[in-house]
Amino acid sequence: RSPVEDVVWNCITQLSGQVHDYTVICFADLVGFTNLASKVIPSALVQYLDTLFCHFDRVCLEKKVEKIKTIGDCYMCVAWTDTCSRLDAALRMVQLAQEMHSITATLPLDGSPLSLRAGIHAGSVVSG
């Protein structure tokens, strides 16, 4: 390792986190949400996100994917490989993302249809 990699590794190992050799992570958010949110009553916006994320939570349970957090309209979830193969974790996450797209397409906000942008990463991570 280079000196810079050593510094980074030492910082990471001193954290209270745990290194995972391989996991699959999905970040999803609503396209155009910020602009639309400025035109909708805040309580309706919160109710919409609650409804949408409850649907996402249900699919996560079905796919054995762990919801990590939501931040505004962003939804983060992880498929761990501790109890399944890398391929299985990746397939479950892709299936989840597809279902999230379908759910979003059927739930307009204030009469406006929305679409979902989802990014998936597979590899090593540090959690904690």
Side-chain angles (χ1 to χ4, degrees), residues 116-127:
L116 189 78
R117 174 179 32 237
I120 297 174
H121 165 79
S124 68
V125 297
V126 177
S127 66

Side-chain angles (χ1 to χ4, degrees), residues 54-114:
C54 282
H55 286 291
F56 289 178
D57 292 348
R58 176 187 49 78
V59 179
C60 278
L61 287 173
E62 291 171 6
K63 301 292 180 191
K64 297 181 181 161
V65 169
E66 181 181 355
K67 171 187 173 180
I68 300 299
K69 66 172 24 185
T70 59
I71 305 170
D73 68 314
C74 183
Y75 191 95
M76 178 185 178
C77 53
V78 175
W80 303 105
T81 55
D82 301 344
T83 59
C84 68
S85 71
R86 292 178 176 190
L87 177 60
D88 183 54
L91 287 173
R92 286 186 286 127
M93 189 62 79
V94 169
Q95 290 168 350
L96 172 69
Q98 289 173 328
E99 288 198 41
M100 291 168 81
H101 279 280
S102 296
I103 291 166
T104 303
T106 64
L107 288 174
L109 172 58
D110 200 35
S112 298
L114 293 174

